[in-house]
Amino acid sequence: MRLEGKTAIITGGANGIGLEAVKLFTKEGANVALVDFNEEAGRLREQELQLDQVTFFQADVSNRESVDAMVQSVVAEFGGIDILVNNAGITKDATLKKMSVEDFQKVIDVNLTGVFHSTQAALPFMLEKGKGKIINTSSVAGVGGNIGQSNYSAAKAGVIGLTKTWAKELGKKGINVNAVAPGYIETDMVNTIPDMLLMQIKMITSSPRLGKPSDIANAYLFLASDESDFINGHVLNVDGGMMK
Ligand code: NAI
């Protein structure tokens, strides 16, 4: 029970990596606020999981009012916040030549500004406790860039900047801020990638397979637990050795 008595907010918790993290964190004793934009999926997961420890909160991380309301509701239900996993993310891929300004901005709004909103809204409750764990989700695309992902790579590189800055600002206040940079993970997000490209991706990883949502959820868990108390401002690549 590595998270006994803790309350965690997991954004983008209704699918893929976030959902796996919701399951793992509850197994480790946490109360979990499953936060997602998608109300239908969120409600369905809450029903399927049938756990007293999990409550669904609908919120759009790119909308500050929505995030503030969600954080207030989480605190009203669970009494505080110990862990924030900024996992929600989207893609809208196109090469630089073809990417619309709207699609550039939308991905920045969700994947970068969304991390800022959720963290700023949750921060007072961690400061109150003098302890907290913030885990941001970057990507191999944020570390090394990726064809067709100007918006996504910029947002995910920005997430690394936020992580390092916040570690410096908040470390002395007992708050750890770290990031996970996943490789290609088997979720809906990679379903659109052609098989041929996925084959090539597997060939350039040291462990020649795609990642599983549990590979990332386990990294989130470590960074959320007391075991990582002396780790701050770190970007943990969980990518089968792709970014060496
Ligand atoms: P997914 O598409 O399976 O799940 C993402 C969840 O986020 C969905 O439930 C969706 O409804 C929710 N969401 C989207 N926009 C939202 C918003 N504005 N507010 C609240 N919730 C919102 O994605 P997956 O693969 O589980 O990705 C999770 C995180 O991991 C994302 O940040 C993604 O960028 C990152 N990542 C994923 C990789 C992969 O290969 N699957 C690789 C590298 C990073």
Side-chain angles (χ1 to χ4, degrees):
M1 287 290 193
R2 291 148 83 188
L3 304 180
E4 183 84 64
K6 306 279 187 193
T7 294
I9 292 178
I10 301 179
T11 69
N15 285 296
I17 295 167
L19 179 60
E20 197 65 27
V22 169
K23 292 178 188 165
L24 186 60
F25 278 35
T26 50
K27 227 190 266 173
E28 294 289 341
N31 290 319
V32 177
L34 187 169
V35 173
D36 209 283
F37 178 62
N38 184 336
E39 176 140 30
E40 201 186 329
R43 296 245 168 263
L44 189 67
R45 299 307 180 218
E46 195 183 40
Q47 271 176 21
E48 284 169 354
L49 291 170
Q50 288 202 332
L51 293 166
D52 289 343
Q53 290 157 271
V54 178
T55 306
F56 168 63
F57 298 86
Q58 200 274 340
D60 174 357
V61 296
S62 67
N63 178 309
R64 185 50 178 263
E65 282 174 16
S66 169
V67 170
D68 284 342
M70 174 274 288
V71 165
Q72 292 305 325
S73 305
V74 171
V75 172
E77 168 130 1
F78 293 121
I81 301 166
D82 302 283
I83 300 159
L84 169 65
V85 184
N86 283 309
N87 167 82
I90 56 167
T91 52
K92 288 188 180 293
D93 297 350
T95 57
L96 174 59
K97 204 171 156 190
K98 293 186 184 153
M99 185 174 287
S100 69
V101 173
E102 289 73 24
D103 282 355
F104 181 82
Q105 194 58 50
K106 183 66 196 165
V107 171
I108 298 290
D109 288 348
V110 174
N111 295 9
L112 181 61
T113 315
V115 173
F116 174 80
H117 287 325
S118 302
T119 307
Q120 205 175 45
L123 181 61
F125 302 98
M126 294 187 180
L127 291 173
E128 211 172 83
K129 291 188 178 222
K131 188 168 167 71
K133 299 278 188 173
I134 297 165
I135 298 118
N136 295 327
T137 310
S138 181
S139 164
V140 284
V143 177
N146 198 21
I147 291 171
Q149 293 198 311
S150 300
N151 47 8
Y152 188 80
S153 301
K156 295 298 189 181
V159 163
I160 293 175
L162 294 179
T163 303
K164 290 178 185 285
T165 300
W166 293 342
K168 287 181 176 164
E169 285 186 11
L170 304 173
K172 289 182 191 66
K173 304 194 185 294
I175 299 173
N176 297 68
V177 191
N178 292 292
V180 175
Y184 288 79
I185 311 299
E186 283 169 343
T187 69
D188 290 348
M189 195 171 266
V190 300
N191 279 349
T192 51
I193 300 176
D195 285 348
M196 190 61 190
L197 192 57
L198 286 178
M199 283 252 295
Q200 287 168 0
I201 288 163
K202 286 181 202 169
M203 280 162 62
I204 59 164
T205 56
S206 306
S207 318
R209 65 169 174 87
L210 295 182
K212 299 188 288 288
S214 60
D215 291 317
I216 308 305
N218 277 307
Y220 288 165
L221 172 62
F222 171 62
L223 293 172
S225 73
D226 292 343
E227 291 156 27
S228 59
D229 275 356
F230 202 52
I231 301 176
N232 216 348
H234 185 69
V235 181
L236 180 59
N237 295 341
V238 183
D239 60 4
M242 182 182 265
M243 305 301 291
K244 287 175 280 286

